[in-house]
Amino acid sequence: MSYKQEKITPYSDGQEKSRQVERMFDSIAHSYDLLNHQLSFGIDYMWRNTAIKKLKPFSPKVMLDIATGTGDFAIKSAKMLKPEKIIGVDISEGMMQIGKTKVSEAGLDNIITFEKEDCEHLSYADDTFDAVTAAFGIRNFQHLDKGLSEMCRVLKKGGHASILEFSSPKGFPMKQLFWIYSHTVMPLYGKLISKDNKAYSYLITTIESFPQGETMVEVLKKAGFSEAKFKRLTFGICTCYIATK
């Protein structure tokens, strides 16, 4: 099945989406953390905490962080869950280079490693990880079903996936306020700080076209998860999905 956000690309140069996304994140890597925290007013820290707490009862020992970016979710998971190993994977070397520096500064080199991987064609064997996580990355998949199926494939039976993704608020007045903020402040500020004219307009467009809530739960089940549920956070600006294999 094809989804609307799969057809949305950062640039219009004819390259396949995955290559454009890689280029875009390499381009904005230097400012990504700053913009993430400022544009969300720091609430993204709380969202990550919520998603990681959902995994705490299961005490995962070996974890995979999909679309790890600069490693924020992996670092927070290492501190909160105390696993033996976390592998952070991404297609952007630029983002992971920053992540490696942050991991070293946090003294977590013995726990967290980074590997360049295409999240739709993971190199790991079936049933490898106790938990798979992803924060604000799956909507950039070129083929959503394939990426989610891969996440399910490498997860051990009985393992869990914890996924954070931006979403669109439904109720008045947050729906209207978020639309104004996301279509004016976010792309303008993102352009000024990142120096990339297209990146933050692209990211906003993908939020609006991405499957959300009950629809996303069905997408997760279709990808092979036996159970999935969701919780809307901060008036629906973000959604946390927990899926079980």
Side-chain angles (χ1 to χ4, degrees):
M1 183 175 176
S2 128
Y3 303 95
K4 288 181 181 179
Q5 93 287 340
E6 294 177 345
K7 298 182 175 70
I8 300 169
T9 58
Y11 313 109
S12 33
D13 56 11
Q15 268 192 324
E16 63 177 13
K17 179 171 181 174
S18 61
R19 298 284 74 82
Q20 291 192 41
V21 168
E22 177 182 1
R23 200 169 95 230
M24 179 191 75
F25 280 113
D26 282 344
S27 166
I28 66 174
H30 67 283
S31 59
Y32 183 78
D33 284 342
L34 173 68
L35 283 166
N36 247 14
H37 304 325
Q38 289 191 349
L39 288 172
S40 71
F41 302 101
I43 302 172
D44 59 311
Y45 292 111
M46 181 188 74
W47 295 336
R48 287 184 182 86
N49 286 350
T50 297
I52 294 166
K53 282 178 183 175
K54 297 287 186 183
L55 295 175
K56 207 159 190 175
F58 313 113
S59 302
K61 298 301 180 188
V62 183
M63 300 177 62
L64 179 68
D65 188 35
I66 293 283
T68 192
T70 63
D72 273 357
F73 209 0
I75 292 168
K76 182 66 75 172
S77 295
K79 291 178 177 178
M80 291 178 64
L81 300 176
K82 310 295 184 187
E84 295 171 3
K85 181 179 182 181
I86 301 176
I87 301 175
V89 299
D90 206 291
I91 58 172
S92 169
E93 290 279 14
M95 296 281 277
M96 288 191 291
Q97 283 302 320
I98 293 172
K100 289 173 185 176
T101 300
K102 289 162 62 175
V103 165
S104 292
E105 290 173 350
L108 294 169
D109 296 281
N110 60 328
I111 304 292
I112 302 171
T113 57
F114 292 89
E115 296 178 4
K116 183 171 183 176
E117 290 268 343
D118 179 347
C119 297
E120 296 177 24
H121 302 91
L122 295 169
S123 64
Y124 310 108
D126 297 359
D127 308 309
T128 298
F129 300 96
D130 300 308
V132 178
T133 58
F136 314 117
I138 64 170
R139 75 182 191 284
N140 296 309
F141 286 170
Q142 184 167 335
H143 304 101
L144 179 60
D145 287 337
K146 178 62 176 171
L148 294 174
S149 295
E150 280 291 272
M151 291 171 66
C152 186
R153 179 184 67 78
V154 301
L155 191 61
K156 292 177 183 176
K157 290 180 181 177
H160 299 82
S162 183
I163 300 169
L164 280 177
E165 195 49 86
F166 288 113
S167 47
S168 302
K170 303 296 182 187
F172 177 86
M174 188 53 67
K175 177 181 178 179
Q176 289 75 16
L177 291 172
F178 183 72
W179 191 96
I180 294 168
Y181 178 70
S182 63
H183 283 263
T184 55
V185 177
M186 289 179 72
L188 178 59
Y189 189 61
K191 177 181 174 180
L192 287 172
I193 302 300
S194 72
K195 309 303 182 186
D196 188 306
N197 291 338
K198 302 287 187 180
Y200 281 84
S201 295
Y202 157 79
L203 291 169
I204 295 304
T205 308
T206 56
I207 293 171
E208 296 174 341
S209 59
F210 190 73
Q212 299 178 15
E214 293 86 353
T215 303
M216 185 61 187
V217 164
E218 294 308 310
V219 173
L220 286 162
K221 289 180 180 177
K222 180 185 173 186
F225 292 97
S226 57
E227 182 185 342
K229 53 189 176 181
F230 71 96
K231 181 179 180 180
R232 290 191 173 95
L233 307 173
T234 317
F235 307 104
I237 294 172
C238 178
T239 302
C240 178
Y241 300 92
I242 299 294
T244 307
K245 180 173 176 179

